[in-house]
Amino acid sequence: MSTPVILASASEARATMLREAGVEAETMPARIDEDAIKEAYRAEDVAPRDLADALAEAKARRVSAMHPGALVIGSDQVLVTEGEVFDKPRDRDEARAQLMHLRGGSHELLSAAVISTGGAPVWRHVGAARLTMRPFTDEFLDAYLDAEGDAVLSTVGGYRIEGRGAQLFSRVSGDYFSILGMPLLEVLGFLRARKVLVE
């Protein structure tokens, strides 16, 4: 019997990535205090990639402690531009403000994954991608927000590049799966090494 895999997340995008890649994983939200972790790390002026890693580890540890026989995947993503880290927008107005700030410039998405077993991390990776937004018009932005509705509140930056959000960009480089929220290829490599997936 293979080792069970649990995704410590409520993210449908991450669950879909694993499922479509052929990984059978139970989904279990970690229910950590993300805001408290973010505030603590910001107070210490920690690098954004370390923040993403810490959030992913907190999720993996939390669920792994309750299911010590499983491989638990924690994952988190941060958006950073000019040293500023963005959170998911809380409402349409905040999404609009974020997109206006990002418009015409480049930003980085950092997606961390940490895998824990028995309450302790055994593997980690941070994937990265750089995205450049085109200088779209206010008219386009409002039409985009109307079309996307509450979907813009589910991701940092207010966009889903696998959908209508692709129209916001002129250039993308780096790991596509990290843009979606998890460095999938590296996760799959670890699962193969642990014999959860066939080599």
PDB file of all heavy atoms in Angstrom, residues 48-80:
ATOM      1  N   PRO A  48      10.938  37.714   0.670  1.00  0.00           N
ATOM      2  CA  PRO A  48       9.647  37.165   0.247  1.00  0.00           C
ATOM      3  C   PRO A  48       9.659  35.657   0.019  1.00  0.00           C
ATOM      4  O   PRO A  48       8.707  34.962   0.357  1.00  0.00           O
ATOM      5  CB  PRO A  48       9.354  37.919  -1.049  1.00  0.00           C
ATOM      6  CG  PRO A  48      10.057  39.228  -0.897  1.00  0.00           C
ATOM      7  CD  PRO A  48      11.308  38.897  -0.145  1.00  0.00           C
ATOM      8  N   ARG A  49      10.752  35.099  -0.543  1.00  0.00           N
ATOM      9  CA  ARG A  49      10.795  33.654  -0.778  1.00  0.00           C
ATOM     10  C   ARG A  49      10.780  32.893   0.550  1.00  0.00           C
ATOM     11  O   ARG A  49      10.221  31.801   0.638  1.00  0.00           O
ATOM     12  CB  ARG A  49      11.981  33.241  -1.644  1.00  0.00           C
ATOM     13  CG  ARG A  49      13.333  33.427  -1.040  1.00  0.00           C
ATOM     14  CD  ARG A  49      14.462  33.019  -1.997  1.00  0.00           C
ATOM     15  NE  ARG A  49      14.400  31.611  -2.337  1.00  0.00           N
ATOM     16  CZ  ARG A  49      14.096  31.135  -3.543  1.00  0.00           C
ATOM     17  NH1 ARG A  49      13.815  31.957  -4.536  1.00  0.00           N
ATOM     18  NH2 ARG A  49      14.086  29.841  -3.780  1.00  0.00           N
ATOM     19  N   ASP A  50      11.391  33.477   1.595  1.00  0.00           N
ATOM     20  CA  ASP A  50      11.374  32.839   2.912  1.00  0.00           C
ATOM     21  C   ASP A  50       9.984  32.909   3.540  1.00  0.00           C
ATOM     22  O   ASP A  50       9.586  32.006   4.276  1.00  0.00           O
ATOM     23  CB  ASP A  50      12.399  33.497   3.843  1.00  0.00           C
ATOM     24  CG  ASP A  50      13.831  33.245   3.376  1.00  0.00           C
ATOM     25  OD1 ASP A  50      14.075  32.230   2.688  1.00  0.00           O
ATOM     26  OD2 ASP A  50      14.701  34.074   3.692  1.00  0.00           O
ATOM     27  N   LEU A  51       9.259  33.972   3.246  1.00  0.00           N
ATOM     28  CA  LEU A  51       7.878  34.076   3.720  1.00  0.00           C
ATOM     29  C   LEU A  51       7.020  33.008   3.073  1.00  0.00           C
ATOM     30  O   LEU A  51       6.247  32.317   3.744  1.00  0.00           O
ATOM     31  CB  LEU A  51       7.312  35.466   3.421  1.00  0.00           C
ATOM     32  CG  LEU A  51       5.824  35.669   3.704  1.00  0.00           C
ATOM     33  CD1 LEU A  51       5.496  35.390   5.163  1.00  0.00           C
ATOM     34  CD2 LEU A  51       5.382  37.075   3.315  1.00  0.00           C
ATOM     35  N   ALA A  52       7.138  32.854   1.761  1.00  0.00           N
ATOM     36  CA  ALA A  52       6.369  31.820   1.061  1.00  0.00           C
ATOM     37  C   ALA A  52       6.691  30.441   1.625  1.00  0.00           C
ATOM     38  O   ALA A  52       5.798  29.618   1.871  1.00  0.00           O
ATOM     39  CB  ALA A  52       6.666  31.863  -0.436  1.00  0.00           C
ATOM     40  N   ASP A  53       7.977  30.184   1.864  1.00  0.00           N
ATOM     41  CA  ASP A  53       8.412  28.900   2.414  1.00  0.00           C
ATOM     42  C   ASP A  53       7.850  28.680   3.823  1.00  0.00           C
ATOM     43  O   ASP A  53       7.396  27.576   4.155  1.00  0.00           O
ATOM     44  CB  ASP A  53       9.944  28.858   2.446  1.00  0.00           C
ATOM     45  CG  ASP A  53      10.477  27.562   3.011  1.00  0.00           C
ATOM     46  OD1 ASP A  53      10.444  26.545   2.294  1.00  0.00           O
ATOM     47  OD2 ASP A  53      10.915  27.550   4.174  1.00  0.00           O
ATOM     48  N   ALA A  54       7.868  29.726   4.644  1.00  0.00           N
ATOM     49  CA  ALA A  54       7.358  29.602   6.019  1.00  0.00           C
ATOM     50  C   ALA A  54       5.862  29.306   6.035  1.00  0.00           C
ATOM     51  O   ALA A  54       5.389  28.493   6.852  1.00  0.00           O
ATOM     52  CB  ALA A  54       7.650  30.887   6.794  1.00  0.00           C
ATOM     53  N   LEU A  55       5.106  29.946   5.163  1.00  0.00           N
ATOM     54  CA  LEU A  55       3.663  29.696   5.091  1.00  0.00           C
ATOM     55  C   LEU A  55       3.387  28.263   4.629  1.00  0.00           C
ATOM     56  O   LEU A  55       2.518  27.576   5.185  1.00  0.00           O
ATOM     57  CB  LEU A  55       3.003  30.698   4.150  1.00  0.00           C
ATOM     58  CG  LEU A  55       2.940  32.141   4.662  1.00  0.00           C
ATOM     59  CD1 LEU A  55       2.653  33.107   3.511  1.00  0.00           C
ATOM     60  CD2 LEU A  55       1.890  32.286   5.758  1.00  0.00           C
ATOM     61  N   ALA A  56       4.135  27.809   3.632  1.00  0.00           N
ATOM     62  CA  ALA A  56       3.967  26.439   3.144  1.00  0.00           C
ATOM     63  C   ALA A  56       4.314  25.433   4.240  1.00  0.00           C
ATOM     64  O   ALA A  56       3.608  24.439   4.444  1.00  0.00           O
ATOM     65  CB  ALA A  56       4.834  26.210   1.915  1.00  0.00           C
ATOM     66  N   GLU A  57       5.403  25.694   4.957  1.00  0.00           N
ATOM     67  CA  GLU A  57       5.808  24.776   6.028  1.00  0.00           C
ATOM     68  C   GLU A  57       4.781  24.741   7.152  1.00  0.00           C
ATOM     69  O   GLU A  57       4.478  23.664   7.686  1.00  0.00           O
ATOM     70  CB  GLU A  57       7.169  25.177   6.593  1.00  0.00           C
ATOM     71  CG  GLU A  57       7.636  24.236   7.687  1.00  0.00           C
ATOM     72  CD  GLU A  57       9.025  24.546   8.216  1.00  0.00           C
ATOM     73  OE1 GLU A  57       9.887  24.979   7.435  1.00  0.00           O
ATOM     74  OE2 GLU A  57       9.251  24.335   9.418  1.00  0.00           O
ATOM     75  N   ALA A  58       4.246  25.884   7.520  1.00  0.00           N
ATOM     76  CA  ALA A  58       3.245  25.917   8.604  1.00  0.00           C
ATOM     77  C   ALA A  58       2.031  25.064   8.238  1.00  0.00           C
ATOM     78  O   ALA A  58       1.487  24.334   9.087  1.00  0.00           O
ATOM     79  CB  ALA A  58       2.828  27.357   8.887  1.00  0.00           C
ATOM     80  N   LYS A  59       1.608  25.141   6.985  1.00  0.00           N
ATOM     81  CA  LYS A  59       0.466  24.332   6.541  1.00  0.00           C
ATOM     82  C   LYS A  59       0.803  22.842   6.592  1.00  0.00           C
ATOM     83  O   LYS A  59       0.014  22.027   7.087  1.00  0.00           O
ATOM     84  CB  LYS A  59       0.069  24.726   5.115  1.00  0.00           C
ATOM     85  CG  LYS A  59      -0.514  26.115   4.985  1.00  0.00           C
ATOM     86  CD  LYS A  59      -0.774  26.448   3.515  1.00  0.00           C
ATOM     87  CE  LYS A  59      -1.347  27.831   3.338  1.00  0.00           C
ATOM     88  NZ  LYS A  59      -1.585  28.157   1.913  1.00  0.00           N
ATOM     89  N   ALA A  60       1.970  22.501   6.041  1.00  0.00           N
ATOM     90  CA  ALA A  60       2.364  21.086   6.001  1.00  0.00           C
ATOM     91  C   ALA A  60       2.528  20.510   7.399  1.00  0.00           C
ATOM     92  O   ALA A  60       2.060  19.400   7.687  1.00  0.00           O
ATOM     93  CB  ALA A  60       3.665  20.935   5.208  1.00  0.00           C
ATOM     94  N   ARG A  61       3.181  21.238   8.287  1.00  0.00           N
ATOM     95  CA  ARG A  61       3.384  20.760   9.661  1.00  0.00           C
ATOM     96  C   ARG A  61       2.058  20.554  10.382  1.00  0.00           C
ATOM     97  O   ARG A  61       1.874  19.562  11.098  1.00  0.00           O
ATOM     98  CB  ARG A  61       4.224  21.767  10.448  1.00  0.00           C
ATOM     99  CG  ARG A  61       5.714  21.666  10.244  1.00  0.00           C
ATOM    100  CD  ARG A  61       6.409  22.694  11.134  1.00  0.00           C
ATOM    101  NE  ARG A  61       7.834  22.676  11.022  1.00  0.00           N
ATOM    102  CZ  ARG A  61       8.639  21.917  11.764  1.00  0.00           C
ATOM    103  NH1 ARG A  61       8.117  21.086  12.651  1.00  0.00           N
ATOM    104  NH2 ARG A  61       9.943  21.974  11.602  1.00  0.00           N
ATOM    105  N   ARG A  62       1.163  21.508  10.216  1.00  0.00           N
ATOM    106  CA  ARG A  62      -0.113  21.460  10.942  1.00  0.00           C
ATOM    107  C   ARG A  62      -0.902  20.195  10.605  1.00  0.00           C
ATOM    108  O   ARG A  62      -1.360  19.472  11.486  1.00  0.00           O
ATOM    109  CB  ARG A  62      -0.931  22.711  10.609  1.00  0.00           C
ATOM    110  CG  ARG A  62      -2.311  22.773  11.243  1.00  0.00           C
ATOM    111  CD  ARG A  62      -2.170  23.032  12.740  1.00  0.00           C
ATOM    112  NE  ARG A  62      -3.461  23.141  13.379  1.00  0.00           N
ATOM    113  CZ  ARG A  62      -4.088  24.277  13.633  1.00  0.00           C
ATOM    114  NH1 ARG A  62      -3.537  25.421  13.268  1.00  0.00           N
ATOM    115  NH2 ARG A  62      -5.247  24.281  14.251  1.00  0.00           N
ATOM    116  N   VAL A  63      -1.053  19.930   9.324  1.00  0.00           N
ATOM    117  CA  VAL A  63      -1.828  18.760   8.911  1.00  0.00           C
ATOM    118  C   VAL A  63      -1.039  17.471   9.143  1.00  0.00           C
ATOM    119  O   VAL A  63      -1.599  16.443   9.540  1.00  0.00           O
ATOM    120  CB  VAL A  63      -2.259  18.894   7.440  1.00  0.00           C
ATOM    121  CG1 VAL A  63      -2.932  17.626   6.943  1.00  0.00           C
ATOM    122  CG2 VAL A  63      -3.210  20.087   7.284  1.00  0.00           C
ATOM    123  N   SER A  64       0.275  17.516   8.956  1.00  0.00           N
ATOM    124  CA  SER A  64       1.112  16.342   9.142  1.00  0.00           C
ATOM    125  C   SER A  64       1.096  15.856  10.591  1.00  0.00           C
ATOM    126  O   SER A  64       1.153  14.651  10.848  1.00  0.00           O
ATOM    127  CB  SER A  64       2.547  16.655   8.718  1.00  0.00           C
ATOM    128  OG  SER A  64       3.387  15.548   8.891  1.00  0.00           O
ATOM    129  N   ALA A  65       1.015  16.797  11.523  1.00  0.00           N
ATOM    130  CA  ALA A  65       0.965  16.414  12.939  1.00  0.00           C
ATOM    131  C   ALA A  65      -0.287  15.596  13.249  1.00  0.00           C
ATOM    132  O   ALA A  65      -0.285  14.742  14.142  1.00  0.00           O
ATOM    133  CB  ALA A  65       1.017  17.661  13.817  1.00  0.00           C
ATOM    134  N   MET A  66      -1.365  15.847  12.511  1.00  0.00           N
ATOM    135  CA  MET A  66      -2.624  15.122  12.721  1.00  0.00           C
ATOM    136  C   MET A  66      -2.685  13.822  11.920  1.00  0.00           C
ATOM    137  O   MET A  66      -3.486  12.950  12.206  1.00  0.00           O
ATOM    138  CB  MET A  66      -3.807  16.025  12.347  1.00  0.00           C
ATOM    139  CG  MET A  66      -3.930  17.262  13.216  1.00  0.00           C
ATOM    140  SD  MET A  66      -5.367  18.288  12.766  1.00  0.00           S
ATOM    141  CE  MET A  66      -4.773  19.048  11.262  1.00  0.00           C
ATOM    142  N   HIS A  67      -1.831  13.706  10.885  1.00  0.00           N
ATOM    143  CA  HIS A  67      -1.815  12.525  10.013  1.00  0.00           C
ATOM    144  C   HIS A  67      -0.358  12.105   9.799  1.00  0.00           C
ATOM    145  O   HIS A  67       0.186  12.258   8.700  1.00  0.00           O
ATOM    146  CB  HIS A  67      -2.503  12.837   8.683  1.00  0.00           C
ATOM    147  CG  HIS A  67      -3.928  13.263   8.838  1.00  0.00           C
ATOM    148  ND1 HIS A  67      -4.965  12.371   8.900  1.00  0.00           N
ATOM    149  CD2 HIS A  67      -4.474  14.496   8.991  1.00  0.00           C
ATOM    150  CE1 HIS A  67      -6.103  13.028   9.065  1.00  0.00           C
ATOM    151  NE2 HIS A  67      -5.830  14.323   9.129  1.00  0.00           N
ATOM    152  N   PRO A  68       0.282  11.567  10.850  1.00  0.00           N
ATOM    153  CA  PRO A  68       1.720  11.316  10.801  1.00  0.00           C
ATOM    154  C   PRO A  68       2.168  10.287   9.769  1.00  0.00           C
ATOM    155  O   PRO A  68       3.330  10.281   9.368  1.00  0.00           O
ATOM    156  CB  PRO A  68       2.050  10.843  12.221  1.00  0.00           C
ATOM    157  CG  PRO A  68       0.747  10.380  12.781  1.00  0.00           C
ATOM    158  CD  PRO A  68      -0.304  11.226  12.149  1.00  0.00           C
ATOM    159  N   GLY A  69       1.273   9.433   9.285  1.00  0.00           N
ATOM    160  CA  GLY A  69       1.660   8.429   8.307  1.00  0.00           C
ATOM    161  C   GLY A  69       1.595   8.890   6.869  1.00  0.00           C
ATOM    162  O   GLY A  69       1.967   8.148   5.954  1.00  0.00           O
ATOM    163  N   ALA A  70       1.141  10.115   6.655  1.00  0.00           N
ATOM    164  CA  ALA A  70       0.948  10.631   5.299  1.00  0.00           C
ATOM    165  C   ALA A  70       2.092  11.555   4.892  1.00  0.00           C
ATOM    166  O   ALA A  70       2.826  12.085   5.730  1.00  0.00           O
ATOM    167  CB  ALA A  70      -0.370  11.393   5.217  1.00  0.00           C
ATOM    168  N   LEU A  71       2.223  11.734   3.583  1.00  0.00           N
ATOM    169  CA  LEU A  71       3.072  12.804   3.048  1.00  0.00           C
ATOM    170  C   LEU A  71       2.157  13.995   2.829  1.00  0.00           C
ATOM    171  O   LEU A  71       1.198  13.915   2.054  1.00  0.00           O
ATOM    172  CB  LEU A  71       3.704  12.384   1.722  1.00  0.00           C
ATOM    173  CG  LEU A  71       4.819  11.338   1.803  1.00  0.00           C
ATOM    174  CD1 LEU A  71       5.206  10.881   0.402  1.00  0.00           C
ATOM    175  CD2 LEU A  71       6.040  11.893   2.532  1.00  0.00           C
ATOM    176  N   VAL A  72       2.418  15.061   3.533  1.00  0.00           N
ATOM    177  CA  VAL A  72       1.541  16.235   3.501  1.00  0.00           C
ATOM    178  C   VAL A  72       2.223  17.369   2.754  1.00  0.00           C
ATOM    179  O   VAL A  72       3.331  17.785   3.110  1.00  0.00           O
ATOM    180  CB  VAL A  72       1.147  16.682   4.922  1.00  0.00           C
ATOM    181  CG1 VAL A  72       0.262  17.925   4.855  1.00  0.00           C
ATOM    182  CG2 VAL A  72       0.435  15.555   5.665  1.00  0.00           C
ATOM    183  N   ILE A  73       1.544  17.855   1.708  1.00  0.00           N
ATOM    184  CA  ILE A  73       2.064  18.941   0.886  1.00  0.00           C
ATOM    185  C   ILE A  73       1.456  20.258   1.343  1.00  0.00           C
ATOM    186  O   ILE A  73       0.243  20.447   1.297  1.00  0.00           O
ATOM    187  CB  ILE A  73       1.724  18.729  -0.602  1.00  0.00           C
ATOM    188  CG1 ILE A  73       2.224  17.369  -1.088  1.00  0.00           C
ATOM    189  CG2 ILE A  73       2.298  19.868  -1.454  1.00  0.00           C
ATOM    190  CD1 ILE A  73       1.684  16.980  -2.461  1.00  0.00           C
ATOM    191  N   GLY A  74       2.312  21.166   1.788  1.00  0.00           N
ATOM    192  CA  GLY A  74       1.884  22.532   2.076  1.00  0.00           C
ATOM    193  C   GLY A  74       2.425  23.425   0.973  1.00  0.00           C
ATOM    194  O   GLY A  74       3.562  23.244   0.523  1.00  0.00           O
ATOM    195  N   SER A  75       1.627  24.366   0.523  1.00  0.00           N
ATOM    196  CA  SER A  75       2.082  25.245  -0.551  1.00  0.00           C
ATOM    197  C   SER A  75       1.517  26.642  -0.349  1.00  0.00           C
ATOM    198  O   SER A  75       0.395  26.798   0.130  1.00  0.00           O
ATOM    199  CB  SER A  75       1.640  24.679  -1.905  1.00  0.00           C
ATOM    200  OG  SER A  75       2.268  25.369  -2.961  1.00  0.00           O
ATOM    201  N   ASP A  76       2.308  27.629  -0.691  1.00  0.00           N
ATOM    202  CA  ASP A  76       1.839  29.009  -0.617  1.00  0.00           C
ATOM    203  C   ASP A  76       2.565  29.849  -1.655  1.00  0.00           C
ATOM    204  O   ASP A  76       3.617  29.458  -2.147  1.00  0.00           O
ATOM    205  CB  ASP A  76       2.033  29.596   0.780  1.00  0.00           C
ATOM    206  CG  ASP A  76       0.995  30.670   1.085  1.00  0.00           C
ATOM    207  OD1 ASP A  76       1.174  31.804   0.621  1.00  0.00           O
ATOM    208  OD2 ASP A  76      -0.005  30.363   1.753  1.00  0.00           O
ATOM    209  N   GLN A  77       1.977  30.990  -1.963  1.00  0.00           N
ATOM    210  CA  GLN A  77       2.490  31.839  -3.026  1.00  0.00           C
ATOM    211  C   GLN A  77       2.499  33.290  -2.570  1.00  0.00           C
ATOM    212  O   GLN A  77       1.573  33.737  -1.884  1.00  0.00           O
ATOM    213  CB  GLN A  77       1.587  31.693  -4.252  1.00  0.00           C
ATOM    214  CG  GLN A  77       2.012  32.491  -5.462  1.00  0.00           C
ATOM    215  CD  GLN A  77       1.002  32.347  -6.585  1.00  0.00           C
ATOM    216  OE1 GLN A  77      -0.139  32.754  -6.439  1.00  0.00           O
ATOM    217  NE2 GLN A  77       1.413  31.747  -7.683  1.00  0.00           N
ATOM    218  N   VAL A  78       3.552  34.004  -2.931  1.00  0.00           N
ATOM    219  CA  VAL A  78       3.579  35.447  -2.684  1.00  0.00           C
ATOM    220  C   VAL A  78       3.908  36.162  -3.992  1.00  0.00           C
ATOM    221  O   VAL A  78       4.605  35.629  -4.851  1.00  0.00           O
ATOM    222  CB  VAL A  78       4.580  35.860  -1.575  1.00  0.00           C
ATOM    223  CG1 VAL A  78       4.225  35.227  -0.244  1.00  0.00           C
ATOM    224  CG2 VAL A  78       6.008  35.535  -1.968  1.00  0.00           C
ATOM    225  N   LEU A  79       3.385  37.345  -4.130  1.00  0.00           N
ATOM    226  CA  LEU A  79       3.665  38.217  -5.265  1.00  0.00           C
ATOM    227  C   LEU A  79       4.497  39.373  -4.748  1.00  0.00           C
ATOM    228  O   LEU A  79       4.135  40.002  -3.752  1.00  0.00           O
ATOM    229  CB  LEU A  79       2.358  38.718  -5.876  1.00  0.00           C
ATOM    230  CG  LEU A  79       2.441  39.567  -7.161  1.00  0.00           C
ATOM    231  CD1 LEU A  79       1.108  39.500  -7.911  1.00  0.00           C
ATOM    232  CD2 LEU A  79       2.802  41.020  -6.896  1.00  0.00           C
ATOM    233  N   VAL A  80       5.600  39.652  -5.429  1.00  0.00           N
ATOM    234  CA  VAL A  80       6.468  40.744  -4.985  1.00  0.00           C
ATOM    235  C   VAL A  80       6.851  41.621  -6.174  1.00  0.00           C
ATOM    236  O   VAL A  80       7.132  41.130  -7.259  1.00  0.00           O
ATOM    237  CB  VAL A  80       7.730  40.193  -4.259  1.00  0.00           C
ATOM    238  CG1 VAL A  80       8.553  39.310  -5.172  1.00  0.00           C
ATOM    239  CG2 VAL A  80       8.577  41.308  -3.707  1.00  0.00           C
TER     240      VAL A  80
END
